[in-house]
Amino acid sequence: MLQNIAIGQYVPGQSFLHRADPRSKLLFIILFATLVFLANNAITYAVLIAFTLITALLSRLSLSYILKSLKPVWILILFTVVLHIFITKGGTVYYQWGSFTIEEEGVRQAIFISLRLGLLILISSFLTLTTSPIDLTEGLERLLGPFGRVGVPVHEIALMMSIALRFIPTLMEETDKIIKAQTARGANFSSGSLLRRAKNLIPIAIPLFISAFRRAEELALAMEARGYRGGVGRTRLNKLAFSWRDSCVAVAGVVLLFVIGWWRS
Amino acid sequence: MQITFDKVSHIYGKGTPFERLALQEISLTIPSGSFVGIIGQTGSGKSTLIQHLNGLLSPSSGRIQLGDVEITSSKRMPHVRRRDIGLVFQYPEHQLFEETVAKDVSFGPLNFDLPVEMVESRTRESLEVVGLDYEAIKDRSPFQLSGGQMRRVAIAGVLAMQPKVLVLDEPTAGLDPAGRKAILEGIYRIHREQGLTTLLVTHSMEEAASYADYLLVMADGKVALQGPPREVFEQVDLLKQLSLDVPETVTLVSRMNQSLPDNEHLPHSLYREEELIDHLLKRLSVPKER
Ligand SMILES: Nc1ncnc2c1ncn2[C@@H]1O[C@H](COP(=O)(O)OP(=O)(O)OP(=O)(O)O)[C@@H](O)[C@H]1O
Ligand SMILES: [Mg+2]
């Protein structure tokens, strides 16, 4: 039931994107996000869209799967589009029906905002789709490393993130199992009034919380039992290393920066 | 209730990179009233198979007939008919959620709109079937119980719906021998008393041998072997290939037969512990005529 909601879940592979260093991917996404907000006309958006499509090809994942896995996000985007079309006013009036109008500025905003959201979400989903949670947090930890000297608990933050990421699928599975078990006992989650439906969530929420706490406790115990005592002095099994792929990413970033800077109006 | 599977396949995560064929064209018939043992290695598709029985999973292709209800990939199980099929999941204690044991056990029956008085008597009965004292336990919080007691409460929660088909996914995993026996004996008793059709998934050949009158051996999403226990246990080599063992009673009988003269062979139908012991005792006490 729930397997379909796997927003950007890691798909193992050996593509260019999979093998690029997580640090360069993270830095690139920051750059890309900035560029998405700098873009302000048709050409710059076209460049960004083209670039996103190339990225999709480089990930060797099927585009239809990527789009499908982002289904909940499309609904959000659609919602913002509708809001902007109806609420934002200004410019030529395209359509009028009583006091209700669709105006130029609204359509413009709707297009730009949905493009921005869509591009941001797509490009960051490539990060999680092609980077294992372990690599991702290690990349983050290394990037944030300098802040450690001024007292930011970088290792702890990274660890919390990796545990959270690691447990999303587990909790999904658990939720799925509990829903099934309660359904087998006749719980009905898809009918009745709103209040009744909210009440129906109790048989799912309570077992889920209990199992999440139990898991957290077991994990803490297991980590301590294996000698974990924070990041100090901890060595790495697989050291991250930059390769020619990361040079390509860097070049792509610089080129993109100049192109957008040149063509934006 | 008779259960028929007709070329049922199930694919998890269809259309994603995680696609996995968990059941492969399974066909089988379970006659009403039988006690079926389902065995197979971990990952062989046992849990997937039984979740089809009350429509929690729909077949990707094929057809399932449950009594007069038909389920296919497009035809779902009607909600009210779920009551006929009691499904006890692996580690069912994880689904407890109510404040008291009595409330949790009555969750199922109340969902199917049974009158309150009836629910109470059913709650009492089903707790007693799994060997718990109703008066002593009814007002306790399920979360203060021991693991084994929680398991029993959860099983009682399914029994209280008074299903016609009872499906149990490893109900005794992780329990002590006495607890295992108590639970299985309780289940076996109501199986006979109420004429249920029962399916028991288990990793223990001994459990399968003691209760089941029909066995399904699963391997890699297919039914590798099926038949009465006696016939299944004769396929020692095939079972070994599937990393499964025959019960110790069967090993004992064949070892003894190796050293007994042909006309004194023990029959292979003696795979149940009690029957084998009775038989051996009888042989020992009757003085042999020479
Ligand atoms: N929700 C799911 N999503 C994807 N694949 C699954 C899911 N549930 C099970 N599978 C896969 O389907 C196959 C059969 O699993 P199933 O749970 O039916 O095995 P099982 O025989 O019950 O094993 P066990 O004895 O460990 O309980 C396994 O390979 C498993 O990885
Ligand atoms: Mg299982």
Side-chain angles (χ1 to χ4, degrees):
Chain A
M1 290 179 208
L2 283 174
Q3 285 95 1
N4 309 330
I5 318 175
I7 306 175
Q9 193 191 346
Y10 175 55
V11 182
Q14 286 297 323
S15 73
F16 177 90
L17 269 196
H18 281 90
R19 294 170 69 180
D21 190 288
R23 284 170 292 177
S24 40
K25 286 191 260 185
L26 274 164
L27 289 175
F28 185 81
I29 284 184
I30 297 174
L31 174 73
F32 192 89
T34 324
L35 293 180
V36 166
F37 284 102
L38 286 178
N40 57 1
N41 55 18
I43 306 178
T44 43
Y45 274 114
V47 171
L48 291 178
I49 291 172
F51 192 82
T52 310
L53 289 178
I54 295 174
T55 316
L57 286 180
L58 283 176
S59 76
R60 299 249 187 94
L61 298 168
S62 86
L63 199 61
S64 74
Y65 171 67
I66 298 171
L67 296 182
K68 224 168 67 188
S69 78
L70 294 175
K71 205 159 116 200
V73 179
W74 297 133
I75 298 168
L76 181 76
I77 292 179
L78 199 73
F79 185 67
T80 39
V81 166
V82 172
L83 273 188
H84 270 289
I85 287 187
F86 292 144
I87 292 173
T88 311
K89 303 289 173 207
T92 343
V93 176
Y94 288 145
Y95 180 81
Q96 184 151 25
W97 190 69
S99 62
F100 163 88
T101 55
I102 293 179
E103 300 179 12
E104 187 184 347
E105 196 56 27
V107 174
R108 224 177 89 90
Q109 284 291 337
I111 293 175
F112 279 178
I113 295 279
S114 58
L115 276 177
R116 274 183 191 167
L117 265 176
L119 284 173
L120 283 177
I121 289 164
L122 263 175
I123 206 84
S124 39
S125 75
F126 284 125
L127 176 71
T128 49
L129 278 166
T130 64
T131 319
S132 74
I134 295 181
D135 282 349
L136 190 60
T137 42
E138 183 169 357
L140 204 70
E141 188 174 347
R142 294 283 295 277
L143 280 182
L144 294 179
F147 295 104
R149 283 190 218 116
V150 294
V152 179
V154 172
H155 172 77
E156 282 69 20
I157 293 175
L159 183 77
M160 267 157 59
M161 230 188 80
S162 71
I163 292 177
L165 284 174
R166 157 68 186 76
F167 276 96
I168 289 174
T170 313
L171 285 182
M172 289 287 219
E173 234 166 72
E174 191 94 13
T175 316
D176 190 44
K177 237 184 81 183
I178 294 171
I179 291 181
K180 278 181 182 165
Q182 307 297 24
T183 311
R185 292 210 280 164
N188 198 342
F189 302 109
S190 45
S191 66
S193 66
L194 201 61
L195 185 70
R196 170 129 197 211
R197 280 196 212 186
K199 254 189 172 163
N200 283 346
L201 288 181
I202 294 174
I204 300 173
I206 292 181
L208 196 63
F209 277 126
I210 290 176
S211 96
F213 282 119
R214 190 184 51 235
R215 272 180 203 286
E217 202 173 304
E218 281 168 4
L219 182 70
L221 277 176
M223 282 171 68
E224 261 176 58
R226 291 199 276 167
Y228 177 81
R229 56 198 150 72
V232 187
R234 212 169 126 78
T235 52
R236 293 275 164 202
L237 185 57
N238 297 311
K239 276 225 154 52
L240 293 180
F242 287 115
S243 66
W244 61 270
R245 295 184 188 83
D246 304 291
S247 316
C248 295
V249 174
V251 170
V254 173
V255 170
L256 209 57
L257 182 64
F258 279 106
V259 169
I260 302 289
W262 185 257
W263 267 320
R264 76 183 289 263
S265 46
Chain B
M1 191 187 281
Q2 176 162 315
I3 299 165
T4 314
F5 275 58
D6 185 17
K7 294 205 176 137
V8 172
S9 299
H10 187 86
I11 303 171
Y12 279 113
K14 202 168 186 171
T16 72
F18 304 100
E19 192 170 290
R20 187 173 168 109
L21 180 60
L23 291 183
Q24 219 173 324
E25 304 225 323
I26 294 221
S27 296
L28 49 90
T29 304
I30 296 167
S32 187
S34 45
F35 196 119
V36 182
I38 303 178
I39 38 193
Q41 259 190 297
T42 176
S44 55
K46 305 182 294 293
S47 301
T48 309
L49 177 78
I50 60 169
Q51 284 173 41
H52 280 82
L53 288 172
N54 68 354
L56 291 174
L57 293 178
S58 299
S60 304
S61 66
R63 200 180 63 86
I64 301 167
Q65 186 80 38
L66 299 166
D68 54 357
V69 181
E70 189 189 44
I71 303 176
T72 61
S73 57
S74 53
K75 229 185 200 167
R76 306 211 139 230
M77 175 112 173
H79 176 72
V80 284
R81 303 307 295 269
R82 287 228 160 93
R83 196 184 118 197
D84 295 340
I85 307 214
L87 187 54
V88 179
F89 274 79
Q90 245 166 330
Y91 300 104
E93 58 272 28
H94 294 172
Q95 75 205 33
L96 300 174
F97 70 98
E98 276 287 10
E99 295 154 66
T100 69
V101 167
K103 275 191 187 169
D104 205 284
V105 174
S106 43
F107 177 68
L110 287 178
N111 277 328
F112 291 109
D113 298 327
L114 292 178
V116 177
E117 315 81 62
M118 208 155 135
V119 171
E120 200 189 317
S121 70
R122 281 189 180 190
T123 304
R124 175 189 295 269
E125 278 164 34
S126 31
L127 279 169
E128 269 152 24
V129 168
V130 293
L132 293 172
D133 178 5
Y134 177 74
E135 292 301 330
I137 208 166
K138 72 176 191 322
D139 292 321
R140 291 183 62 185
S141 156
F143 302 109
Q144 290 168 353
L145 305 176
S146 76
Q149 286 171 320
M150 280 162 83
R151 177 80 54 91
R152 292 177 194 213
V153 170
I155 295 176
V158 171
L159 295 180
M161 304 193 310
Q162 296 200 339
K164 299 195 183 97
V165 177
L166 187 58
V167 187
L168 304 121
D169 198 349
E170 297 185 43
T172 58
L175 295 186
D176 63 301
R180 283 165 180 255
K181 193 154 168 125
I183 288 182
L184 288 173
E185 290 292 334
I187 289 166
Y188 193 56
R189 210 183 69 228
I190 61 160
H191 164 78
R192 275 190 319 192
E193 284 174 6
Q194 301 179 7
L196 301 180
T197 309
T198 306
L199 284 84
L200 173 72
V201 174
T202 172
H203 276 288
S204 150
M205 279 292 183
E206 268 71 30
E207 277 180 17
S210 326
Y211 300 102
D213 46 38
Y214 196 82
L215 289 185
L216 285 176
V217 182
M218 305 265 312
D220 273 335
K222 281 181 267 193
V223 178
L225 208 56
Q226 58 176 318
R230 204 201 118 170
E231 285 170 24
V232 169
F233 294 146
E234 273 168 17
Q235 312 276 339
V236 183
D237 294 333
L238 184 56
L239 288 174
K240 285 245 168 71
Q241 264 176 35
L242 304 173
S243 322
L244 296 170
D245 252 335
V246 292
E248 302 205 341
T249 45
V250 175
T251 320
L252 180 69
V253 168
S254 54
R255 289 279 290 277
M256 287 180 77
N257 283 350
Q258 276 170 17
S259 43
L260 285 172
D262 273 354
N263 57 347
E264 285 181 28
H265 268 188
L266 297 167
H268 282 289
S269 52
L270 286 177
Y271 55 83
R272 287 194 173 156
E273 211 173 288
E274 288 85 20
E275 289 171 18
L276 180 62
I277 293 172
D278 282 351
H279 186 88
L280 290 178
L281 283 178
K282 223 180 281 165
R283 278 215 186 177
L284 288 175
S285 58
V286 177
K288 283 188 185 156
E289 296 161 28
R290 292 201 181 250

